[in-house]
Amino acid sequence: MTELLTSAELFGNVAPLLAHAADFAEGARPEHSATYGWLLLFTPLVGAIVIGLTWKKVSDRAAGLIGTAAIFLAFGAALACFAQLMGMDPEERHILAGYTYAQAFGVDFRFDIYIDQLSVFMALVVTGVSAMIHLYSVAYMKSDAGYHRFFSYLNFFVFSMLLLVLAGNLALLVVGWAFVGAASYLLISYWYRRETATAAGIKAFVINVIGDVGIVVAAYLLWTELGTLTIPSMLANAEDAFTVAPSPEYTAAALLLLVGAFAKSAQVPLHTWLPDAMEGPTPVSALIHAATMVTAGVYLICRMHPFIEISETATLTAAFLGTATLLIAATTALVQTDLKRIIAYSTMSQIGYMIAGAAAAAYSASLFHLMTHAFFKALLFMSAGSVIAAMASNQDVRRMGGFRKAMPFTYVVFTIGALTLAGFPFFSGFFSKDEIISYTLHRGGAFTVIAAGMYIGAILTAIYSMRAVFLVFHGEPCDEAKQLEGGELAHGSPVNPATGALEDTDVGFPGPDHQIAEREGEMRTAMSVLAFLAVVAGAVQIPGVTHLIESWLEPVFEDSRYAHDIPSIATQWIGLGVGAAIALTGIAIAYWTYVANRGVSERLATRFGRLHELLSNAWYFDRIYDAMIVRPASAIASFCNNVVERFVVQGIVEGATGAAKSGASRIRSWQSGLARVYALSVIGGTTIIAIYFLVLAK
Amino acid sequence: MDIVWYVALSAVIFSIGAGGLLARRSPLVMLLCLELMLNASNLALIAFARMWANVDGQIFALVVMVVAACEVVVGLGIIVALYRNRVAIDIDELDSLRDPTEGAISD
């Protein structure tokens, strides 16, 4: 019996090795090789290192080209991965490859990449949008002194994001998760002489670390329950976990995963860093703080969906907080005056849709919205960057106006972006947003309330997005617009848009020149591609006609409890009809308020002063956190500095040195220099020792 | 004769040397007292060598004599050099190696 057991154990130990050897042998066969995956992951890292190391040798232009080429190569590798998966059996479309780099206490820390439908989908969106934004930055950042640094950071960000997306091990995912936080910090504080920018970078980093801690603890809890950190095995074991009632540990793990997702995706109550993150250069806002990084939370929820789904508490928390975020952010966006902040709040709001949708188990709908959102939000930021450049770095929408004639191209693409965001019929955002809403509504129960919140959010979205269009491009042309119509682009000394203070431009600051889409081919190309995608990308997922994303992602989510509980096509079309009506109403309201009856908004602001104040201050979240957390923390810190450090620590140290000093001075007086005293010491000492041995020791 | 007499004599001579070393202030006399102490130990060594019928003690005594001779040469050299530099030779005034911040005991 014992021998049998031993041989079984032996076999158990050998079997994975054999399987690994078989994998290795199969590695030679192209369909299972992860070569494209490794290429996809490491090309941006190589780009970042090369640009970072050669900044003295290589010209600005070449650095931009290397960075952009690296991302285009990565996009190519992502396409190759996609093609490779397409060539495989639909049920077997996943590749896990890597090696163990640490093994302790039975934890399998493996450097694994996991290529499946979901990670390839994310990699395509990330690298595709990144490639466009790199192309845009080549022109947009032209006059910046820190050009190499910028592209090095940007490539490093893409690497981190791909590490997060492709990670086949939860520990590695945490590494990627922390790396994107670091890249975000570096890029928000990119103009590091600007104090508001460094403060914003620190704020973003600190809030993201709260999320990191959440994920690490969640990973630990899941590991204790499942005994593995390899994501596919965790997901496979999750099936067994469904048979037992969810233990408190599972609920805790699910909620902690949500903490991570919420911090990264800027959801209430961990959202306050995102508006401040707009201190970074505009391409950074487009790439990190709109299209890719902030959607990592949605990816995490989708990737870990069995663990979220198992806990009713977690799904309801995610759904309600997501909805709260989308409403809070949408109402705040209505009254903001900083163009980039309007779009930032809109980003929070749209991610609220995705989070609430994912909580309602509408995973493929959320990921579909993630994709379309990446297109139109990157596009909006790029156009906003063009407008801000034309305004010589001024971001205040109240100062802008009438750019329609001066910047026709920017006007068209910004309007496309805003209409897509507003859910204008048959643009991509229309299909993706309404798919989330109809799936959520279909879940019934508490989710009916969520869906109602989403509809309210939809009309607000339409109003604020068109408000931005009307304020910036319509109405009386401002001075800069008139100047531009005369063929002259406004330039000026760079000032901090938050404080209006003149910048210290010695290191890494934008020069006095500005680049607008009308004059830069690269910017125009990138924006045209995204505008095209924003308009037509909805075609991949039209209810009853196409379902490319849904069928592509289906194997990933087939273990979901609600995988086959989906709304009928007729219901979805009714939802689309309602969505279209709401979007058009919102656009009409915005037109009526900001074009037909200019001045109405000011009258409303005075009429509802309190409300306007509340919304302008983003529901006072920053002030509440300041009073509840920042000030007590700094009070504790200054107490520690003034009392603990000064009296306790200093007291211990000075006491010890004082004792040594006074003791030493007593002993030192022995060294009198009197030879006879030394002689007496020697003789007396010897005598005492002799007496001891002769008399006492007997 | 009993070994006790030799050892007692050695002890007496050693004590005289030690007493003189502590009591006298002239370096020259102190050096002489040191010699007394060394010779007292030599006497004891030789007496014990005789008692055990072993020459090791005598060899030690020879070594001590050599060391004592060297010591006398160096000591006398120092004393002569001191005498040339400062006429009064008082051991208690020769304390220039002490910590200067401490008050001198000799005052």
Side-chain angles (χ1 to χ4, degrees):
Chain A
M1 185 64 202
T2 324
E3 266 178 21
L4 265 177
L5 203 69
T6 321
S7 64
E9 272 175 6
L10 190 70
F11 187 68
N13 286 336
V14 166
L17 280 178
L18 287 176
H20 190 259
D23 277 355
F24 196 74
E26 272 179 352
R29 296 222 319 262
E31 63 263 35
H32 282 99
S33 136
T35 317
Y36 293 126
W38 294 114
L39 207 61
L40 164 63
L41 179 60
F42 283 111
T43 318
L45 181 65
V46 170
I49 293 172
V50 167
I51 300 167
L53 293 182
T54 59
W55 64 280
K56 273 188 178 165
K57 309 261 183 266
V58 169
S59 69
D60 283 1
R61 182 113 194 119
L65 286 179
I66 294 172
T68 313
I71 305 305
F72 270 98
L73 267 178
F75 181 62
L79 281 177
C81 285
F82 177 68
Q84 192 186 1
L85 287 194
M86 284 295 278
M88 287 159 70
D89 183 32
E91 294 303 309
E92 299 294 325
R93 276 179 186 157
H94 41 76
I95 303 169
L96 181 71
Y99 63 92
T100 305
Y101 68 88
Q103 205 153 24
F105 311 111
V107 190
D108 47 343
F109 294 120
R110 287 178 56 82
F111 195 100
D112 273 341
I113 55 172
Y114 185 48
I115 304 168
D116 73 337
Q117 292 91 336
L118 178 55
S119 58
V120 163
F121 172 80
M122 285 297 290
L124 280 171
V125 173
V126 168
T127 52
V129 175
S130 300
M132 288 306 126
I133 289 166
H134 275 71
L135 189 62
Y136 174 90
S137 311
V138 167
Y140 189 76
M141 299 297 285
K142 211 181 259 173
S143 65
D144 197 291
Y147 201 76
H148 292 80
R149 191 161 57 91
F150 182 79
F151 274 96
S152 190
Y153 286 172
L154 219 52
N155 270 12
F156 173 69
F157 164 75
V158 177
F159 161 71
S160 317
M161 189 68 199
L162 289 172
L163 187 64
L164 191 166
V165 166
L166 292 173
N169 186 294
L170 197 53
L172 192 64
L173 191 148
V174 171
V175 173
W177 196 264
F179 273 12
V180 291
S184 156
Y185 164 77
L186 289 171
L187 283 162
I188 295 169
S189 325
Y190 172 72
W191 289 318
Y192 54 83
R193 290 288 168 96
R194 187 189 274 182
E195 272 187 21
T196 45
T198 48
I202 291 168
K203 185 176 182 183
F205 197 74
V206 168
I207 294 182
N208 271 304
V209 163
I210 297 174
D212 296 354
V213 171
I215 294 206
V216 169
V217 179
Y220 170 74
L221 288 174
L222 289 176
W223 174 78
T224 52
E225 297 276 323
L226 301 169
T228 177
L229 284 176
T230 305
I231 289 173
S233 333
M234 288 174 81
L235 297 177
N237 291 358
E239 298 252 322
D240 306 330
F242 288 138
T243 56
V244 294
S247 68
E249 281 83 2
Y250 267 123
T251 310
L255 286 173
L256 284 165
L257 281 176
L258 288 181
V259 169
F262 274 45
K264 194 65 84 194
S265 291
Q267 299 294 294
V268 170
L270 298 172
H271 65 291
T272 58
W273 64 273
L274 187 62
D276 288 6
M278 297 301 124
E279 289 282 348
T282 306
V284 172
S285 310
L287 176 58
I288 301 184
H289 306 116
T292 54
M293 184 190 89
V294 286
T295 57
V298 181
Y299 169 75
L300 184 76
I301 293 181
C302 291
R303 175 55 90 201
M304 292 286 156
H305 67 277
F307 303 107
I308 309 282
E309 232 175 52
I310 197 170
S311 158
E312 189 84 353
T313 324
T315 47
L316 286 178
T317 310
F320 274 101
L321 285 179
T323 314
T325 309
L326 85 86
L327 290 175
I328 287 172
T331 47
T332 309
L334 280 178
V335 300
Q336 290 297 308
T337 55
D338 183 318
L339 180 56
K340 281 179 78 180
R341 278 181 182 250
I342 296 174
I343 311 177
Y345 279 109
S346 141
T347 303
M348 272 166 61
S349 173
Q350 295 304 304
I351 297 171
Y353 277 100
M354 299 175 212
I355 297 269
Y363 303 113
S364 47
S366 288
L367 289 165
F368 177 36
H369 194 53
L370 187 157
M371 180 184 86
T372 59
H373 174 258
F375 297 153
F376 66 69
K377 196 50 66 69
L379 178 64
L380 277 175
F381 266 116
M382 287 173 166
S383 328
S386 182
V387 173
I388 291 164
M391 291 292 293
S393 286
N394 195 314
Q395 305 186 358
D396 192 337
V397 285
R398 291 170 299 189
R399 285 266 293 105
M400 300 174 187
F403 272 110
R404 190 167 31 153
K405 285 221 183 67
M407 305 176 80
F409 177 79
T410 310
Y411 172 59
V412 169
V413 292
F414 192 98
T415 311
I416 289 173
L419 285 174
T420 317
L421 170 61
F424 189 77
F426 306 111
F427 283 21
S428 62
F430 167 69
F431 290 108
S432 55
K433 187 196 302 188
D434 285 305
E435 190 176 331
I436 290 182
I437 300 178
S438 51
Y439 271 65
T440 311
L441 199 58
H442 184 73
R443 284 285 303 277
F447 286 97
T448 318
V449 182
I450 305 285
M454 286 176 172
Y455 273 128
I456 297 170
I459 193 162
L460 292 172
T461 309
I463 296 173
Y464 72 67
S465 53
M466 292 320 285
R467 167 181 177 257
V469 174
F470 293 142
L471 285 183
V472 173
F473 293 98
H474 289 248
E476 197 60 31
C478 61
D479 292 346
E480 283 85 352
K482 279 183 201 151
Q483 227 177 314
L484 194 56
E485 277 176 52
E488 190 155 337
L489 182 58
H491 292 308
S493 331
V495 289
N496 184 336
T499 60
L502 206 64
E503 300 278 21
D504 174 0
T505 53
D506 286 349
V507 192
F509 270 110
D513 293 341
H514 297 284
Q515 275 70 35
I516 60 170
E518 272 66 20
R519 299 190 176 176
E520 302 292 340
E522 289 95 338
M523 286 166 75
R524 237 180 4 256
T525 313
M527 288 155 81
S528 309
V529 170
L530 285 176
F532 174 74
L533 287 174
V535 174
V536 304
V540 298
Q541 186 97 329
I542 301 172
V545 185
T546 49
H547 42 79
L548 294 179
I549 291 182
E550 202 181 321
S551 46
W552 172 250
L553 293 173
E554 200 189 0
V556 181
F557 301 118
E558 68 186 351
D559 54 351
S560 162
R561 278 188 254 188
Y562 310 100
H564 303 290
D565 185 16
I566 55 170
S568 68
I569 287 160
T571 330
Q572 289 191 40
W573 273 102
I574 294 169
L576 284 176
V578 175
I582 281 182
L584 292 173
T585 315
I587 294 167
I589 293 174
Y591 183 82
W592 187 81
T593 319
Y594 297 103
V595 179
N597 298 289
R598 284 214 159 215
V600 165
S601 60
E602 281 79 10
R603 280 203 297 282
L604 282 173
T606 15
R607 175 83 180 73
F608 301 101
R610 280 271 177 82
L611 183 66
H612 186 258
E613 192 72 5
L614 171 76
L615 297 182
S616 298
N617 286 295
W619 297 64
Y620 293 113
F621 271 102
D622 269 325
R623 267 193 230 176
I624 294 168
Y625 289 166
D626 193 49
M628 275 173 53
I629 298 161
V630 179
R631 281 206 216 133
S634 67
I636 292 170
S638 73
F639 171 79
C640 287
N641 184 27
N642 294 331
V643 179
V644 178
E645 170 73 18
R646 200 149 296 169
F647 295 107
V648 178
V649 177
Q650 205 73 337
I652 292 169
V653 172
E654 279 178 1
T657 55
K661 246 181 174 171
S662 66
S665 81
R666 298 240 171 93
I667 296 170
R668 204 165 54 201
S669 67
W670 202 290
Q671 305 291 326
S672 57
L674 284 175
R676 292 192 301 151
V677 173
Y678 299 158
L680 182 64
S681 307
V682 173
I683 293 166
T686 324
T687 316
I688 289 166
I689 292 168
I691 288 170
Y692 172 78
F693 279 112
L694 288 173
V695 182
L696 297 178
K698 274 187 184 168
Chain B
M1 256 161 104
D2 197 4
I3 186 81
V4 173
W5 295 101
Y6 295 97
V7 175
L9 179 64
S10 164
V12 168
I13 297 172
F14 190 89
S15 303
I16 291 169
L21 185 74
L22 293 177
R24 305 305 290 263
R25 298 173 74 178
S26 158
L28 198 63
V29 179
M30 286 169 78
L31 207 59
L32 291 178
C33 294
L34 264 179
E35 286 303 310
L36 268 182
M37 287 161 76
L38 285 171
N39 282 317
S41 58
N42 272 355
L43 183 58
L45 281 171
I46 291 164
F48 287 128
R50 182 64 185 261
M51 183 181 107
W52 296 112
N54 187 327
V55 291
D56 287 1
Q58 298 187 21
I59 291 166
F60 256 118
L62 285 171
V63 171
V64 170
M65 278 175 201
V66 171
V67 173
C70 301
E71 182 240 305
V72 163
V73 169
V74 175
L76 278 176
I78 290 173
I79 288 162
V80 170
L82 280 172
Y83 188 72
R84 283 190 184 153
N85 280 327
R86 32 205 303 181
V87 178
I89 291 188
D90 183 341
I91 188 74
D92 288 355
E93 282 173 15
L94 301 177
D95 59 354
S96 57
L97 283 178
R98 73 185 166 86
D99 180 358
T101 60
E102 296 290 322
I105 292 174
S106 61
D107 294 337

PDB file of all heavy atoms in Angstrom, chain B residues 11-27:
ATOM      1  N   ALA B  11      61.401  37.145  48.483  1.00  0.00           N
ATOM      2  CA  ALA B  11      60.222  37.975  48.736  1.00  0.00           C
ATOM      3  C   ALA B  11      60.616  39.269  49.425  1.00  0.00           C
ATOM      4  O   ALA B  11      60.109  40.347  49.074  1.00  0.00           O
ATOM      5  CB  ALA B  11      59.224  37.206  49.601  1.00  0.00           C
ATOM      6  N   VAL B  12      61.550  39.161  50.367  1.00  0.00           N
ATOM      7  CA  VAL B  12      61.975  40.368  51.084  1.00  0.00           C
ATOM      8  C   VAL B  12      62.617  41.344  50.108  1.00  0.00           C
ATOM      9  O   VAL B  12      62.265  42.545  50.073  1.00  0.00           O
ATOM     10  CB  VAL B  12      62.933  39.991  52.240  1.00  0.00           C
ATOM     11  CG1 VAL B  12      63.609  41.236  52.783  1.00  0.00           C
ATOM     12  CG2 VAL B  12      62.178  39.283  53.336  1.00  0.00           C
ATOM     13  N   ILE B  13      63.531  40.814  49.276  1.00  0.00           N
ATOM     14  CA  ILE B  13      64.216  41.702  48.320  1.00  0.00           C
ATOM     15  C   ILE B  13      63.182  42.320  47.362  1.00  0.00           C
ATOM     16  O   ILE B  13      63.210  43.512  47.064  1.00  0.00           O
ATOM     17  CB  ILE B  13      65.293  40.923  47.527  1.00  0.00           C
ATOM     18  CG1 ILE B  13      66.383  40.406  48.480  1.00  0.00           C
ATOM     19  CG2 ILE B  13      65.922  41.820  46.484  1.00  0.00           C
ATOM     20  CD1 ILE B  13      67.367  39.472  47.825  1.00  0.00           C
ATOM     21  N   PHE B  14      62.243  41.516  46.906  1.00  0.00           N
ATOM     22  CA  PHE B  14      61.219  42.013  45.971  1.00  0.00           C
ATOM     23  C   PHE B  14      60.410  43.131  46.620  1.00  0.00           C
ATOM     24  O   PHE B  14      60.160  44.165  46.014  1.00  0.00           O
ATOM     25  CB  PHE B  14      60.297  40.856  45.578  1.00  0.00           C
ATOM     26  CG  PHE B  14      59.368  41.199  44.451  1.00  0.00           C
ATOM     27  CD1 PHE B  14      59.759  40.989  43.138  1.00  0.00           C
ATOM     28  CD2 PHE B  14      58.125  41.737  44.711  1.00  0.00           C
ATOM     29  CE1 PHE B  14      58.925  41.312  42.121  1.00  0.00           C
ATOM     30  CE2 PHE B  14      57.276  42.076  43.676  1.00  0.00           C
ATOM     31  CZ  PHE B  14      57.669  41.853  42.380  1.00  0.00           C
ATOM     32  N   SER B  15      60.069  42.926  47.905  1.00  0.00           N
ATOM     33  CA  SER B  15      59.265  43.934  48.596  1.00  0.00           C
ATOM     34  C   SER B  15      60.073  45.219  48.771  1.00  0.00           C
ATOM     35  O   SER B  15      59.531  46.321  48.598  1.00  0.00           O
ATOM     36  CB  SER B  15      58.841  43.432  49.965  1.00  0.00           C
ATOM     37  OG  SER B  15      58.141  42.227  49.793  1.00  0.00           O
ATOM     38  N   ILE B  16      61.355  45.065  49.075  1.00  0.00           N
ATOM     39  CA  ILE B  16      62.186  46.262  49.201  1.00  0.00           C
ATOM     40  C   ILE B  16      62.178  47.028  47.879  1.00  0.00           C
ATOM     41  O   ILE B  16      61.971  48.239  47.826  1.00  0.00           O
ATOM     42  CB  ILE B  16      63.635  45.891  49.610  1.00  0.00           C
ATOM     43  CG1 ILE B  16      63.661  45.354  51.051  1.00  0.00           C
ATOM     44  CG2 ILE B  16      64.571  47.093  49.480  1.00  0.00           C
ATOM     45  CD1 ILE B  16      64.992  44.724  51.432  1.00  0.00           C
ATOM     46  N   GLY B  17      62.349  46.239  46.794  1.00  0.00           N
ATOM     47  CA  GLY B  17      62.352  46.886  45.464  1.00  0.00           C
ATOM     48  C   GLY B  17      61.039  47.571  45.197  1.00  0.00           C
ATOM     49  O   GLY B  17      60.999  48.733  44.788  1.00  0.00           O
ATOM     50  N   ALA B  18      59.938  46.850  45.454  1.00  0.00           N
ATOM     51  CA  ALA B  18      58.624  47.425  45.157  1.00  0.00           C
ATOM     52  C   ALA B  18      58.369  48.649  46.018  1.00  0.00           C
ATOM     53  O   ALA B  18      57.891  49.688  45.533  1.00  0.00           O
ATOM     54  CB  ALA B  18      57.529  46.390  45.414  1.00  0.00           C
ATOM     55  N   GLY B  19      58.725  48.567  47.299  1.00  0.00           N
ATOM     56  CA  GLY B  19      58.533  49.715  48.192  1.00  0.00           C
ATOM     57  C   GLY B  19      59.328  50.906  47.707  1.00  0.00           C
ATOM     58  O   GLY B  19      58.808  52.019  47.628  1.00  0.00           O
ATOM     59  N   GLY B  20      60.582  50.638  47.337  1.00  0.00           N
ATOM     60  CA  GLY B  20      61.411  51.742  46.858  1.00  0.00           C
ATOM     61  C   GLY B  20      60.843  52.349  45.599  1.00  0.00           C
ATOM     62  O   GLY B  20      60.809  53.578  45.434  1.00  0.00           O
ATOM     63  N   LEU B  21      60.355  51.508  44.718  1.00  0.00           N
ATOM     64  CA  LEU B  21      59.798  51.990  43.443  1.00  0.00           C
ATOM     65  C   LEU B  21      58.645  52.952  43.719  1.00  0.00           C
ATOM     66  O   LEU B  21      58.508  53.973  43.057  1.00  0.00           O
ATOM     67  CB  LEU B  21      59.311  50.796  42.626  1.00  0.00           C
ATOM     68  CG  LEU B  21      58.809  51.120  41.227  1.00  0.00           C
ATOM     69  CD1 LEU B  21      59.988  51.420  40.323  1.00  0.00           C
ATOM     70  CD2 LEU B  21      57.995  49.961  40.667  1.00  0.00           C
ATOM     71  N   LEU B  22      57.835  52.603  44.709  1.00  0.00           N
ATOM     72  CA  LEU B  22      56.664  53.435  44.982  1.00  0.00           C
ATOM     73  C   LEU B  22      57.051  54.672  45.793  1.00  0.00           C
ATOM     74  O   LEU B  22      56.451  55.725  45.643  1.00  0.00           O
ATOM     75  CB  LEU B  22      55.609  52.637  45.750  1.00  0.00           C
ATOM     76  CG  LEU B  22      54.975  51.494  44.971  1.00  0.00           C
ATOM     77  CD1 LEU B  22      54.007  50.722  45.852  1.00  0.00           C
ATOM     78  CD2 LEU B  22      54.265  52.026  43.738  1.00  0.00           C
ATOM     79  N   ALA B  23      58.033  54.518  46.639  1.00  0.00           N
ATOM     80  CA  ALA B  23      58.308  55.602  47.571  1.00  0.00           C
ATOM     81  C   ALA B  23      59.238  56.662  46.990  1.00  0.00           C
ATOM     82  O   ALA B  23      59.059  57.853  47.250  1.00  0.00           O
ATOM     83  CB  ALA B  23      58.919  55.039  48.854  1.00  0.00           C
ATOM     84  N   ARG B  24      60.268  56.266  46.273  1.00  0.00           N
ATOM     85  CA  ARG B  24      61.270  57.228  45.796  1.00  0.00           C
ATOM     86  C   ARG B  24      60.805  57.945  44.555  1.00  0.00           C
ATOM     87  O   ARG B  24      60.003  57.424  43.778  1.00  0.00           O
ATOM     88  CB  ARG B  24      62.591  56.492  45.511  1.00  0.00           C
ATOM     89  CG  ARG B  24      63.123  55.688  46.683  1.00  0.00           C
ATOM     90  CD  ARG B  24      63.281  56.550  47.920  1.00  0.00           C
ATOM     91  NE  ARG B  24      64.364  57.476  47.767  1.00  0.00           N
ATOM     92  CZ  ARG B  24      65.596  57.268  48.248  1.00  0.00           C
ATOM     93  NH1 ARG B  24      65.853  56.163  48.929  1.00  0.00           N
ATOM     94  NH2 ARG B  24      66.569  58.131  48.058  1.00  0.00           N
ATOM     95  N   ARG B  25      61.311  59.207  44.395  1.00  0.00           N
ATOM     96  CA  ARG B  25      60.869  60.005  43.246  1.00  0.00           C
ATOM     97  C   ARG B  25      61.980  60.170  42.235  1.00  0.00           C
ATOM     98  O   ARG B  25      61.755  60.733  41.173  1.00  0.00           O
ATOM     99  CB  ARG B  25      60.389  61.361  43.740  1.00  0.00           C
ATOM    100  CG  ARG B  25      59.193  61.230  44.661  1.00  0.00           C
ATOM    101  CD  ARG B  25      58.824  62.531  45.291  1.00  0.00           C
ATOM    102  NE  ARG B  25      58.168  63.408  44.338  1.00  0.00           N
ATOM    103  CZ  ARG B  25      57.714  64.613  44.657  1.00  0.00           C
ATOM    104  NH1 ARG B  25      57.872  65.059  45.894  1.00  0.00           N
ATOM    105  NH2 ARG B  25      57.135  65.365  43.763  1.00  0.00           N
ATOM    106  N   SER B  26      63.165  59.683  42.553  1.00  0.00           N
ATOM    107  CA  SER B  26      64.255  59.852  41.578  1.00  0.00           C
ATOM    108  C   SER B  26      64.251  58.687  40.596  1.00  0.00           C
ATOM    109  O   SER B  26      64.259  57.526  41.009  1.00  0.00           O
ATOM    110  CB  SER B  26      65.599  59.883  42.314  1.00  0.00           C
ATOM    111  OG  SER B  26      66.624  59.542  41.426  1.00  0.00           O
ATOM    112  N   PRO B  27      64.202  58.959  39.326  1.00  0.00           N
ATOM    113  CA  PRO B  27      64.161  57.887  38.325  1.00  0.00           C
ATOM    114  C   PRO B  27      65.340  56.937  38.460  1.00  0.00           C
ATOM    115  O   PRO B  27      65.176  55.727  38.229  1.00  0.00           O
ATOM    116  CB  PRO B  27      64.220  58.635  37.001  1.00  0.00           C
ATOM    117  CG  PRO B  27      63.811  60.017  37.300  1.00  0.00           C
ATOM    118  CD  PRO B  27      64.160  60.297  38.717  1.00  0.00           C
TER     119      PRO B  27
END
